[in-house]
Amino acid sequence: MKRQSGKYTYIPILATFVILLVAFAITLSTMANQPVNSYTVDNDTAYEGVSDNGYEFVETEGKNGVKYYVITKNSTQTTTAASMMDNNDEEAVTTTTAAASIKTTINSTTETTAAPVSKTTTTTKTIRNSDEKLAYLTFDDGPSINTEKLLDILDKYDVKATFFVIYHKNMDSKYKAIVDRGHTIALHSYTHSYSKIYRTEKGYYQDLDKIHDYVEKVTGVDSKIIRFPGGSSNTVSRKYNKTIMKTLKKSVTEKGYVYHDWNVDSTDASGINRDPDLLVEKVKAGLKKNKPVIDILMHDTGKSKTTTVEALPRIIEAVQAQGYTIEPLTMDSEPIQHNW
Ligand code: ZN
């Protein structure tokens, strides 16, 4: 067909451009709405979370032992808090560069969810003999691209762990794998956003109910085992509501939940892909305290926590070498709770 006039040939080009622009805007807004596994800063303390304006913060440590904060937004823009950052510190600068390349990994494959068979949680009462030592391996913030790797390692050692999960899009099969492979699925938060969950009691329960119902829908498990983002002793919540943790600790218990903190920290959340040797050492140092019950905090957070996967075999071996039996958390487990 003969073109009648060159006058309107720009229209298809313009239309394509507009479509691309809209698609790009949609992608950006979707990214912004994803719960991000990261850290927030309150004065000089770093915890997990995303700030109100969408910045994620990662605490890191310079050579001189001073803490710095790597700040990332939408995984592309990276800067540092000038007030907290000593630009002469090479190590902190290196970590900043690394942060720029780390993207929140959301599995883009679509997964279909079969209607789960309703499960009755049968918990056998765990009564610890006075000389028995119990260890709980707990993984926060998953599932992620690392979940299966963690599950394979746990299988290899024939031990069961506990996963305090948050909401991640398109990861239904991973929530199910945790349960199907015999581990405890427990609740952390839907959004992991401190400003949403720690402003009011109502806000906290809206979020908790959402993750509870989501986990139940996907896995069939009606979980009442929880871990507060940042732990029950976090101080970031004070920024939003000074007494919220006191209120929540009481009310979650009244509602039949059991909250768990930790007493051994692998410190995998204190930076991006911390040296696996260091994670093993931190756990070993925690084991030296020789407590009868230990809850070891680790994270299942994708690309920024691949060293947790690397360290896990040695962590399990170290725990077992100290005479601990590794068990998953149940409603009858003795909870480790921070006193503050
Ligand atoms: Zn968390």
Side-chain angles (χ1 to χ4, degrees), residues 4-270:
Q4 293 191 347
S5 160
K7 202 175 169 186
Y8 298 112
T9 50
Y10 65 88
I11 290 177
I13 299 164
L14 191 69
T16 311
F17 180 71
V18 170
I19 289 165
L20 284 175
L21 198 69
V22 169
F24 180 64
I26 291 169
T27 311
L28 269 188
S29 72
T30 314
M31 278 170 69
N33 288 330
Q34 299 298 342
V36 183
N37 308 307
S38 52
Y39 309 82
T40 195
V41 169
D42 178 41
N43 299 324
D44 58 350
T45 315
Y47 289 94
E48 310 164 286
V50 184
S51 70
D52 284 345
N53 54 9
Y55 283 92
E56 48 180 300
F57 293 78
V58 175
E59 183 191 44
T60 186
E61 215 172 280
K63 277 177 192 153
N64 52 8
V66 176
K67 286 177 177 164
Y68 302 99
Y69 303 92
V70 177
I71 306 174
T72 312
K73 191 171 188 182
N74 289 340
S75 307
T76 49
Q77 181 188 343
T78 302
T79 180
T80 53
S83 60
M84 299 168 185
M85 180 75 188
D86 173 3
N87 288 314
N88 295 326
D89 190 284
E90 278 176 28
E91 200 173 308
V93 172
T94 309
T95 316
T96 308
T97 316
S101 63
I102 287 179
K103 289 190 170 66
T104 305
T105 310
I106 305 290
N107 192 339
S108 59
T109 55
T110 312
E111 294 168 3
T112 47
T113 314
V117 181
S118 186
K119 285 175 193 152
T120 319
T121 316
T122 44
T123 48
T124 40
K125 187 109 184 151
T126 359
I127 300 165
R128 191 172 54 81
N129 300 323
S130 56
D131 58 343
E132 193 184 10
K133 299 199 291 184
L134 291 180
Y136 303 113
L137 307 175
T138 58
F139 298 93
D140 289 9
D141 300 350
S144 77
I145 49 162
N146 290 333
T147 308
E148 255 119 24
K149 290 176 196 155
L150 295 171
L151 294 176
D152 288 345
I153 295 166
L154 294 166
D155 271 359
K156 196 178 150 215
Y157 286 88
D158 195 22
V159 293
K160 304 296 180 209
T162 302
F163 291 78
F164 287 95
V165 298
I166 65 173
Y167 172 71
H168 291 283
K169 206 175 163 187
N170 296 330
M171 289 211 177
D172 287 5
S173 67
K174 295 183 197 293
Y175 294 91
K176 280 194 285 195
I178 291 169
V179 174
D180 292 345
R181 292 169 73 168
H183 305 279
T184 295
I185 196 156
L187 313 174
H188 196 32
S189 168
Y190 191 86
T191 60
H192 211 294
S193 164
Y194 283 66
S195 62
K196 285 196 179 78
I197 63 175
Y198 291 146
R199 209 179 286 282
T200 62
E201 195 179 8
K202 193 179 162 205
Y204 176 79
Y205 284 107
Q206 275 174 350
D207 176 276
L208 182 66
D209 289 349
K210 228 168 150 184
I211 190 67
H212 170 274
D213 294 353
Y214 183 74
V215 165
E216 188 167 40
K217 187 184 86 171
V218 172
T219 68
V221 174
D222 169 16
S223 180
K224 295 285 184 192
I225 300 172
I226 64 172
R227 172 169 287 160
F228 293 110
S232 71
S233 59
N234 83 80
T235 51
V236 176
S237 57
R238 291 179 199 164
K239 187 169 139 191
Y240 306 106
N241 181 332
K242 287 200 163 49
T243 57
I244 190 79
M245 293 319 298
K246 198 178 170 205
T247 309
L248 292 177
K249 284 182 350 174
K250 190 164 178 277
S251 64
V252 291
T253 310
E254 284 164 1
K255 286 172 188 278
Y257 290 98
V258 179
Y259 73 88
H260 293 258
D261 291 318
W262 56 91
N263 55 2
V264 174
D265 185 356
S266 70
T267 73
D268 64 349
S270 301

